[in-house]
Amino acid sequence: MAASATRLRRLASAAVAVTACGGAVLLTPSVSSNDRASGRPTVESLRQIINDPSAVVPSRTLQESALISSKSGPLDILVVGGGATGCGVALDAATRGLRVGLVEREDFSCGTSSRSTKLIHGGVRYLEKAVFGLDYGQLKLVFHALEERKQVIENAPHLCHALPCMTPCFDWFEVVYYWMGLKMYDLVAGRRLLHFSRYYSAQESVELFPTLARKGKGRSLRGTVVYYDGQMNDSRLNVGLACTAALAGAAVLNHAEVVSFLKDEGTQRIIGARIRDNLSGTEGQEFDAYAKVVVNAAGPFCDSVRKMANKDALPMICPSSGVHIVLPDYYSPDGMGLIVPKTKDGRVVFMLPWLGRTIAGTTDSSTSITPLPEPNENEIQFILDAICDYLNVKVRRTDVLSAWSGIRPLAVDPNAKNTESISRDHVVSEEYPGLVTITGGKWTTYRSMAEDAVNAAIKSGKLSPSNECITSNLRLIGGDGWEPSLFTVLAQQYVRMKKSDGGKVVPGVMDTAAAKHLSRAYGTLAERVATIAQNENLGKRLAHGYPYLEAEVAYCARNEYCESAVDFIARRSRLAFLDTDAASHALPRIIEILATEHNWDKSRQKEEMQKAKEFLETFKSSKNAHFHDGKHQ
C-alpha cells in the first residue's frame, strides 16, 4: 500500500504540472543514447515511455502534422480503422519500431468495439461444437481464445476482471452435462485458467443469485454450474490501446476519413490515402498520407474500403447483429452473471453485472450494415421474455435503461461457392498490392489478430522492424502498477471541489463509489482526474446515481482525444450505454466543459447537442421507445 501511495504521489506532481498549463504541454519521453544512435527506441525504453506516469499523449494537431509530413518520408504502415483490431495493429507495429499512422472516420471504438457483450471469453459454445462435431478447427479456436483471454486481462488489469457465470440446470442430466462440459473448458484453459468451475445446489444457487427462479413451467431447479470468463470495459480498453500506441510513437487520428487511395502510376500498388479531417469545418480539410503498406481494419466496413482499391472486389463480410439491453442492478447480484445456454430458438441469452447495472443480450443474428445500428423491438422483447423464464421477479420493458445493437463482421472467403466458409476466426488477406485486410475474429483475440496483420504488412512492404512482437507482455497505459486497492488512496487524499447552483465553491467527499470508478476507468492515471476535480472545481457528478465526474470531461479532452459530446457519453464514459435518459440530462454540462477545452462557439455547441440527441435516439430505452397502437415499434 505504501508503494501505491508513493506511485500516486509521483503521479500527482506530474498531474498538477499538466493541469497548471491547461493540459497543453507535450512531455517528450527520455530516450537513451543507444536509442538516438539507432533512431528507434528499444523495447525496454518503449515500456518506460508507456508506463511513465508523467507522459502525455501528443496533441491531435501534432498527430495530424505527422501524417501530413509522410509525403517527405512515407510511413511504414497506415491503418484504416480505430476499433480494437486497428488500434491493436498500430500499437503492435509502433512497438516493433515501425513508423505508423492510424485514421478513424468517427472515433476510436465507435462501432463494433464499443457495442460488444463486454465478455473476454474462450467460447464455451465452440467447445461444444468441437466435441460433438469432432471439429478440430473449432477446438483450435477455443485454445487460442483462452490463451488470449488471460493475456488481455493481464495487460489491462484495471479495465478487465474475471467474472463467475452461472448456468441453471433443471434436471440431473443437465447438471452432469454442463458440469462435464465446463470441466473440459477448465482443462482446455490449462495454465491460463482463471478459476475452477464448480457445482452449486439449488439452495446455494439462490443464495448467490437471489432473483433466480427455483420453479417455473413445471420444472424445479436442481442446481447450477458456475464457470469463469473475463469481463471488460470495452471502449475504454480500446481508447487505452489508441493512447498507448500514441505514446509508443504512432500518429493516431480520430474523426479522419479515408476518401480514396493513392496508387503508384507504374505498378498500381497502393502507396497511401487521401484523408479528410472531419473536424476542420463543414467541407473538411483534405491531405495525403503516404505509406509502404495500408492495413484495412475497418470492421463491418472492410468491404467498402476494399472497393476503394478495386470496385469489383467480392464481399468478405457477413454481418451479424447482437442486441443488448441494460436493466437496473437489482436484476442480478454484483459479481455473478447468468448464462442461459439454449433459448426457444437455440440462441444463448445472458445477464451480467456491468458497471453497477445489469446487461442482458443475445448472440448473433443476421443484419445489414449501417453506421448506427438500432435494436429491433422484437429482439428486445425476446431478451426480456427469455430471462423472465429463469427469474422469480417480473422483468418489465419500462425498466430498460438503454438498448443497443452491435454488428460483428464475420469473415467469409470471397472466392467460396457457399456460405459454409463463414469463419468465427479472423482472416488476413492481400488481394490488392499494398492493401492488407484483417477482419473477423472477436474482441478477445484482438491482440493476436493485430500481430498477424502486422506480420502480413511486414512481408508485403518488405519492412524492417527493429524487434519482434512484444504486445503479449505489454501493459496498456494506466495498467502498470495498478492494484485493486488504489481507490483507497484517492478516497483518502482527495476531495471533490464543486460549484453549487449558486456559483459557490463547496468541497465534496471523494466517496468510495467515485474513487472506485476513477481507479477502474483510468488505472494509475486516476489521480490526474482527481487532481482536476480538486484543483479546478470540477468535482460535481454529471448524472444522479452515477459516479462520473465533471473532471473526466476535461481530462478526456486533454489526454484521450475526446473531440465531441458523443465521444464522451458513449466511449470515454459509458453513460449512453448505461442510461440513455441520464446521458441526455448530462449533455448540457458536458458540452459546456468541452466548449471551454476546445474553444467551441455557440454554433458548434448547438450542433454538438443536436448530434448527441440524435445519437441517443438510437438507444431504445423505455423513455424513447416508439409506440403504435399500444405496441412498441
Side-chain angles (χ1 to χ4, degrees):
M1 196 65 190
S4 300
T6 301
R7 185 183 303 108
L8 285 175
R9 278 193 291 270
R10 282 172 49 218
L11 184 54
S13 61
V16 170
V18 174
T19 302
C21 298
V25 179
L26 174 64
L27 302 183
T28 305
S30 59
V31 180
S32 70
S33 57
N34 290 336
D35 295 338
R36 294 192 191 97
S38 64
R40 289 176 174 173
T42 64
V43 171
E44 190 52 42
S45 66
L46 278 170
R47 285 200 174 98
Q48 291 175 1
I49 291 168
I50 293 168
N51 297 323
D52 184 352
S54 63
V56 178
V57 296
S59 69
R60 188 177 184 278
T61 302
L62 285 176
Q63 299 288 53
E64 185 169 25
S65 297
L67 292 174
I68 294 173
S69 66
S70 65
K71 186 172 185 179
S72 58
L75 302 166
D76 291 312
I77 296 175
L78 175 65
V79 186
V80 181
T85 306
C87 289
V89 170
L91 177 59
D92 187 315
T95 52
R96 296 199 205 192
L98 298 172
R99 293 186 62 219
V100 188
L102 179 147
V103 291
E104 160 59 47
R105 178 174 60 183
E106 296 294 336
D107 181 34
F108 307 121
S109 191
C110 73
T112 303
S113 296
S114 64
R115 296 168 178 262
S116 75
T117 304
K118 323 303 178 194
L119 283 177
I120 313 167
H121 62 101
V124 174
R125 289 175 299 143
Y126 305 156
L127 181 61
E128 186 180 31
K129 291 177 183 177
V131 172
F132 290 100
L134 299 177
D135 189 335
Y136 180 64
Q138 294 278 2
L139 186 60
K140 280 174 60 181
L141 280 178
V142 179
F143 269 113
H144 178 58
L146 287 172
E147 180 81 13
E148 291 296 318
R149 179 187 69 175
K150 189 69 178 291
Q151 202 65 63
V152 173
I153 296 173
E154 289 177 352
N155 286 350
H158 56 305
L159 295 168
C160 310
H161 61 274
L163 177 71
C165 299
M166 179 178 282
T167 302
C169 306
F170 288 91
D171 60 53
W172 292 112
F173 172 77
E174 285 187 344
V175 170
V176 174
Y177 180 81
Y178 290 127
W179 183 86
M180 292 180 63
L182 293 169
K183 283 299 176 186
M184 186 175 293
Y185 194 56
D186 293 348
L187 182 65
V188 172
R191 63 187 179 89
R192 292 295 190 174
L193 179 72
L194 298 178
H195 298 283
F196 283 108
S197 60
R198 61 159 293 181
Y199 164 77
Y200 288 94
S201 68
Q203 180 60 37
E204 290 172 321
S205 298
V206 295
E207 289 175 2
L208 289 168
F209 206 111
T211 54
L212 182 64
R214 295 193 67 159
K215 293 184 181 295
K217 295 189 174 181
R219 309 174 303 174
S220 294
L221 184 69
R222 303 302 181 188
T224 61
V225 182
V226 174
Y227 73 99
Y228 287 78
D229 261 328
Q231 190 178 50
M232 63 178 165
N233 188 336
D234 53 4
S235 72
R236 285 214 54 81
L237 183 58
N238 199 153
V239 170
L241 281 167
C243 292
T244 307
L247 288 176
V252 299
L253 193 68
N254 55 352
H255 300 283
E257 180 178 2
V258 171
V259 293
S260 63
F261 283 126
L262 308 174
K263 298 180 181 179
D264 183 274
E265 293 182 2
T267 63
Q268 289 300 295
R269 180 182 175 87
I270 290 176
I271 56 171
R274 184 76 173 171
I275 297 166
R276 179 188 299 124
D277 181 354
N278 290 327
L279 293 182
S280 60
T282 53
E283 296 183 3
Q285 172 190 336
E286 294 189 359
F287 61 89
D288 293 334
Y290 291 84
K292 297 171 185 175
V293 184
V294 175
V295 173
N296 172 15
F301 302 97
C302 271
D303 283 343
S304 61
V305 174
R306 291 169 61 239
K307 288 181 182 295
M308 288 185 191
N310 176 13
K311 59 180 175 52
D312 297 321
L314 296 173
M316 283 183 70
I317 300 299
C318 181
S320 176
S321 170
V323 174
H324 305 79
I325 64 174
V326 171
L327 299 165
D329 57 348
Y330 52 69
Y331 279 106
S332 66
D334 185 27
M336 178 66 75
L338 182 72
I339 304 289
V340 179
K342 286 186 180 177
T343 58
K344 57 189 177 185
D345 69 349
R347 282 185 287 175
V348 174
V349 169
F350 55 85
M351 269 179 55
L352 310 170
W354 185 63
L355 300 182
R357 296 294 179 265
T358 298
I359 181 175
T362 65
T363 52
D364 304 332
S365 58
S366 59
T367 188
S368 57
I369 297 175
T370 176
L372 280 178
E374 298 185 24
N376 181 287
E377 188 61 38
N378 292 333
E379 292 279 0
I380 294 174
Q381 196 58 53
F382 174 86
I383 297 170
L384 294 173
D385 292 342
I387 62 177
C388 192
D389 291 342
Y390 292 84
L391 300 182
N392 59 18
V393 294
K394 184 178 180 181
V395 185
R396 306 173 300 182
R397 179 62 175 88
T398 53
D399 281 339
V400 176
L401 302 171
S402 183
W404 74 90
S405 175
I407 301 174
R408 182 178 177 185
L410 299 179
V412 60
D413 183 352
N415 300 313
K417 296 181 180 178
N418 56 56
T419 57
E420 291 179 2
S421 62
I422 294 175
S423 174
R424 297 284 169 171
D425 201 354
H426 62 274
V427 173
V428 181
S429 67
E430 185 181 11
E431 304 157 86
Y432 199 95
L435 180 65
V436 172
T437 295
I438 171 78
T439 191
K442 57 185 179 180
W443 236 118
T444 308
T445 58
Y446 85 87
R447 192 210 61 80
S448 64
M449 291 171 64
E451 182 178 353
D452 289 348
V454 174
N455 288 342
I458 289 171
K459 182 178 179 182
S460 171
K462 298 181 175 58
L463 307 179
S464 302
S466 58
N467 52 270
E468 296 296 317
C469 174
I470 65 168
T471 55
S472 60
N473 188 27
L474 183 69
R475 289 279 174 90
L476 300 188
I477 183 173
D480 188 61
W482 180 84
E483 298 169 5
S485 61
L486 282 181
F487 76 93
T488 61
V489 179
L490 297 175
Q492 290 173 345
Q493 297 186 1
Y494 286 88
V495 295
R496 298 185 293 115
M497 303 301 292
K498 51 193 179 181
K499 288 184 179 178
S500 65
D501 293 337
K504 183 180 179 181
V505 176
V506 294
V509 176
M510 183 64 74
D511 55 273
T512 301
K516 280 187 174 180
H517 158 65
L518 294 181
S519 173
R520 278 286 179 183
Y522 303 94
T524 56
L525 303 183
E527 188 151 344
R528 290 191 187 183
V529 188
T531 300
I532 296 173
Q534 179 171 280
N535 295 354
E536 300 184 33
N537 307 326
L538 293 174
K540 197 172 183 179
R541 278 186 164 86
L542 290 166
H544 178 71
Y546 293 89
Y548 301 111
L549 306 181
E550 293 174 336
E552 295 179 66
V553 185
Y555 174 84
C556 293
R558 299 171 193 175
N559 299 281
E560 293 187 353
Y561 303 114
C562 179
E563 304 294 336
S564 74
V566 173
D567 288 356
F568 184 81
I569 62 172
R571 270 96 50 181
R572 304 310 183 281
S573 77
R574 310 316 310 276
L575 203 48
F577 285 81
L578 289 170
D579 192 327
T580 307
D581 194 45
S584 181
H585 281 93
L587 274 176
R589 182 57 178 144
I590 291 170
I591 291 172
E592 184 180 358
I593 298 170
L594 287 175
T596 301
E597 296 295 326
H598 293 313
N599 298 315
W600 291 345
D601 58 20
K602 293 293 183 182
S603 174
R604 173 65 187 274
Q605 292 178 51
K606 185 178 180 180
E607 180 186 345
E608 286 292 324
M609 179 64 76
Q610 181 64 29
K611 285 182 178 179
K613 287 194 174 296
E614 289 174 0
F615 175 80
L616 289 175
E617 280 296 317
T618 67
F619 287 69
K620 301 301 181 185
S621 70
S622 59
K623 297 287 178 67
N624 67 2
H626 300 291
F627 291 86
H628 181 70
D629 293 335
K631 295 181 179 179
H632 288 285
Q633 295 294 309

